[in-house]
Amino acid sequence: MPTKGMGRPQRKEMRIVVIGGGTGLSVLLRGLKYEPVHITAIVTVADDGGSSGRLRAEMDMPPPGDIRNVLTALADTEPLMEKVMQYRFSAGTGLAGHNLGNLLLAAMNEITGDFVTAVKALSGVLAVRGDVLPASTQSIQLVAEMTDGALVAGESQIPLAGKKIKRVFLEPADAAPLNEALLAIADADAILIGPGSLYTSIIPNLLVRGLFSAVSRSTAPKIYICNVMTQPGETDGFAASHHVHAMYQHVGEAFLDTIIVNSAKLPLHVLEKYAEKGAKPVRCDLKQLRQLGLQIVAKPLVTFEDGYLRHDAHAVSRQVVSLLKRRRRS
């Protein structure tokens, strides 16, 4: 059964560890950084596509893309600096397709000789609120086994395979976690998982040997923030409970206390837009979630920006902090 927070000395500032990657994690952090908490973001390093994949292959470094997005989300900088970090070159031999923030991380990695030190150095430049840590500094490849037995290698290729995923695994299987990440988990007042791509952003972190063991040992509440929409090629047809089951199957135990799910009805024009790409709302199957012993927070938690559905970062963050304050009082 999931463990509950107990007997932890109270601190004025709660320490929250957030585990994930991709756009969903960055959106959440944009709201959470304004709450009275200390954030440690533990970010996946399995990306192998685009600018990140090129730098990973050519410079023998962890892929910087998800790290860059998290740094930008947590940064206390002028809007222009954010545009600089996210700027992608459209022309230039060798430059086209590269993101400037990725190149800055690559440069820092070369200067310092260490990726973690590079991330910390750029965090200082950007006045990042909190700590950003890669789940591992080793070169990790994500591999998916499909239900038909086929193997698909590479995070960027898995959703494109057009097949149902049975499981994902890491190569090498014994990739070591960052010690600072383990210490942050051990010291956390709460552990948030997601939102993000289930098989390519969330589960890869949990598969880093030793990292999930630290999560499992922690007595802090463990909260999963479920995606709003299914993701074609990953979670087609998934309800909220299917996301939870997939995590449990990969780590071999039930470990979550709480799930936060969106309950807002989505406008028809939004549903039609996503249906064109094969995505549907993630159904909040309350009965199945209760059977899993989870506390359920079901609230309207979405906003529509730039033509896309996003979690309302401030609304989700307020729910998380309110939940933790209630646990502290009890």
Side-chain angles (χ1 to χ4, degrees):
M1 291 298 294
T3 57
K4 305 293 181 184
M6 56 184 291
R8 180 179 295 276
Q10 290 196 11
R11 293 178 284 214
K12 184 176 180 180
E13 184 180 58
M14 290 183 288
R15 304 184 72 84
I16 296 181
V17 167
V18 189
I19 300 174
T23 304
L25 177 61
S26 300
V27 169
L28 170 66
L29 294 175
R30 289 180 187 277
L32 196 60
K33 72 179 180 181
Y34 293 110
E35 298 294 335
V37 298
H38 180 276
I39 301 166
T40 299
I42 299 175
V43 187
T44 181
V45 286
D47 189 11
D48 66 342
S51 171
S52 283
R54 288 166 60 188
L55 290 171
R56 169 181 173 155
E58 294 171 10
M59 300 189 67
D60 191 27
M61 62 179 286
D66 283 343
I67 295 281
R68 179 203 78 237
N69 282 329
V70 169
L71 288 173
T72 305
L74 287 175
D76 187 12
T77 59
E78 294 296 324
L80 179 59
M81 190 60 190
E82 180 173 345
K83 290 182 179 179
V84 169
M85 283 291 292
Q86 301 289 34
Y87 179 77
R88 190 176 299 275
F89 294 93
S90 58
T93 304
L95 273 179
H98 271 307
N99 180 286
L100 183 55
N102 288 352
L103 295 178
L104 284 173
L105 275 168
M108 287 287 196
N109 185 60
E110 289 279 286
I111 292 167
T112 65
D114 176 74
F115 187 68
V116 175
T117 305
V119 173
K120 289 179 179 179
L122 195 54
S123 295
V125 171
L126 298 174
V128 164
R129 300 185 185 186
D131 299 312
V132 180
L133 303 172
S136 174
T137 56
Q138 291 180 245
S139 180
I140 295 173
Q141 183 177 50
L142 186 67
V143 183
E145 180 186 356
M146 303 303 186
T147 53
D148 65 357
L151 297 179
V152 179
E155 181 268 349
S156 62
Q157 298 304 308
I158 292 169
L160 305 179
K163 298 181 178 183
K164 186 175 177 60
I165 299 170
K166 179 180 179 181
R167 68 181 182 110
V168 293
F169 57 93
L170 302 181
E171 290 183 344
D174 61 351
L178 194 68
N179 191 54
E180 288 179 64
L182 301 183
L183 293 173
I185 291 169
D187 196 39
D189 294 299
I191 298 170
L192 306 186
I193 297 174
S197 301
L198 178 65
Y199 287 103
T200 54
S201 291
I202 293 175
I203 290 177
N205 288 297
L206 302 178
L207 295 179
V208 174
R209 183 163 295 179
L211 196 146
F212 175 72
S213 297
V215 171
S216 180
R217 286 193 302 270
S218 171
T219 58
K222 303 167 185 76
I223 303 167
Y224 174 54
I225 303 171
C226 189
N227 285 355
V228 176
M229 305 295 290
T230 61
Q231 186 167 353
E234 282 203 43
T235 56
D236 302 275
F238 271 36
S241 68
H242 296 131
H243 289 73
V244 176
H245 277 297
M247 283 186 281
Y248 287 1
Q249 288 167 358
H250 277 79
V251 301
E253 65 178 82
F255 67 95
L256 295 170
D257 299 282
T258 303
I259 184 169
I260 296 177
V261 288
N262 172 60
S263 65
K265 291 188 176 181
L266 304 179
L268 181 60
H269 73 279
V270 174
L271 296 176
E272 290 175 344
K273 175 184 176 68
Y274 275 84
E276 291 174 0
K277 298 180 180 180
K280 296 181 179 180
V282 173
R283 183 167 48 88
C284 179
D285 49 347
L286 291 172
K287 181 180 178 181
Q288 288 78 7
L289 292 173
R290 290 193 184 105
Q291 289 174 346
L292 290 168
L294 293 170
Q295 179 178 350
I296 304 163
V297 178
K299 301 278 185 180
L301 297 171
V302 293
T303 184
F304 195 64
E305 298 178 359
D306 302 323
Y308 292 95
L309 277 171
R310 302 287 189 216
H311 277 94
D312 184 326
H314 295 286
V316 175
S317 299
R318 286 194 295 268
Q319 287 296 323
V320 168
V321 172
S322 175
L323 180 67
L324 298 180
K325 285 181 177 178
R326 288 198 301 271
R327 285 181 179 249
R328 270 194 168 188
R329 288 194 295 267
S330 64

